[in-house]
């Protein structure tokens, strides 16, 4: 099943037509990944990266969990002590502020990175489930709508059927206009 998805993703991402994005008006693809597929995802993404490079595309695989940590660390000047203290003092307010901060940091990073990659850029995001405690993926996609023109592919732990995409088999993310696979 994963091999079929990867082949379909390659066919959709590694060309200049990206007709699939015209269908929804946004160049976002959400790919449901099961726990068993997670084990084999990394080598498959390296395959897409290499094939893209061979064809003249700049394919970048981004571990969202690591990226969010690095962005937050940079935003806090390398010291998370104040955040830890804030969390102890006022947890509800801490969570609210952290959600906004993480969403905005990621949004700005994606805008900058897609601009640097240019029209031949393609971004593949893994570890997308890590966003669930902090912000809804739909919020990010909504903010990015009409702001990015290169394909962004999110590998999301969950299930998809003809009507719904359920992240982590709990959170309905069907509200986006992204292409579901």
């Amino acid at each position: 099943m994963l091999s079929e998805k990867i082949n379909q993703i390659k066919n959709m991402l590694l060309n200049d037509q990206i007709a699939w994005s015209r269908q929804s008006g946004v160049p976002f693809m959400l790919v449901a990944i099961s726990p068993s597929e997670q084990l084999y995802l990394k080598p498959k993404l390296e395959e897409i990266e290499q094939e893209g490079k061979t064809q003249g595309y700049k394919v970048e695989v981004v571990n969202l969990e690591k990226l969010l940590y690095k962005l937050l660390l940079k935003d806090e000047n390398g010291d998370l002590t104040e955040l830890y203290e804030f969390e102890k003092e006022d947890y509800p307010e801490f969570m609210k502020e952290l959600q906004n901060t993480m969403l905005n940091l990621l949004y700005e990073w994606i805008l900058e990175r897609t601009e640097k990659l240019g029209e031949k850029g393609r971004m593949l995001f893994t570890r997308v489930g890590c966003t669930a405690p902090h912000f809804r993926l739909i919020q990010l996609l909504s903010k990015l709508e009409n702001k990015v023109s290169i394909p962004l592919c999110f590998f999301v732990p969950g299930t998809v059927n003809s009507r719904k995409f359920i992240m982590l088999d709990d959170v309905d993310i069907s509200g986006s206009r992204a292409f579901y696979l």
Side-chain angles (χ1 to χ4, degrees):
M1 182 91 168
L2 181 60
S3 292
E4 292 170 14
K5 288 179 190 177
I6 295 298
N7 287 335
Q8 189 172 354
I9 290 165
K10 280 195 265 187
N11 290 334
M12 293 172 76
L13 292 181
L14 303 181
N15 68 68
D16 292 329
Q17 302 306 311
I18 58 172
W20 57 272
S21 73
R22 290 188 192 101
Q23 175 183 74
S24 62
V26 295
F28 311 140
M29 184 185 310
L30 302 179
V31 181
I33 298 294
S34 70
S36 62
E37 290 173 324
Q38 286 278 357
L39 298 172
Y40 306 101
L41 186 59
K42 187 175 179 181
K44 295 290 186 183
L45 296 182
E46 289 170 353
E47 182 182 307
I48 293 174
E49 217 174 3
Q50 192 58 38
E51 194 168 320
K53 186 177 181 180
T54 302
Q55 294 181 32
Y57 293 95
K58 298 174 187 172
V59 179
E60 188 168 319
V61 177
V62 179
N63 178 321
L64 209 46
E65 191 170 38
K66 285 182 181 178
L67 175 62
L68 282 171
Y69 177 74
K70 286 179 184 177
L71 292 174
L72 192 58
L73 196 59
K74 182 180 176 186
D75 188 57
E76 294 294 320
N77 298 315
D79 184 6
L80 299 177
T81 307
E82 283 185 36
L83 275 181
Y84 297 137
E85 294 302 319
F86 183 25
E87 180 183 22
K88 288 178 191 175
E89 291 171 19
D90 189 353
Y91 185 75
E93 187 62 29
F94 163 78
M95 284 305 293
K96 184 178 175 184
E97 190 172 315
L98 187 63
Q99 289 168 359
N100 290 330
T101 299
M102 292 179 90
L103 177 61
N104 289 329
L105 288 172
L106 182 57
Y107 168 76
E108 292 296 331
W109 184 88
I110 291 173
L111 290 181
E112 289 174 23
R113 194 69 195 135
T114 57
E115 191 173 312
K116 284 181 185 174
L117 289 173
E119 66 182 41
K120 290 287 193 175
R122 306 293 189 259
M123 295 185 79
L124 310 173
F125 293 89
T126 64
R127 305 290 298 167
V128 175
C130 79
T131 63
H134 307 294
F135 58 85
R136 295 186 57 116
L137 182 61
I138 295 288
Q139 290 174 286
L140 176 64
L141 297 179
S142 294
K143 282 183 76 142
L144 290 170
E145 199 167 315
N146 298 317
K147 302 280 193 272
V148 296
S149 57
I150 67 169
L152 305 180
C153 181
F154 297 87
F155 291 88
V156 181
T159 55
V160 66
N161 64 35
S162 61
R163 296 184 328 258
K164 290 190 178 223
F165 196 119
I166 309 297
M167 180 175 174
L168 300 168
D169 293 332
D170 182 42
V171 181
D172 186 350
I173 60 172
S174 304
S176 91
R177 295 187 308 143
F179 181 88
Y180 300 143
L181 182 60

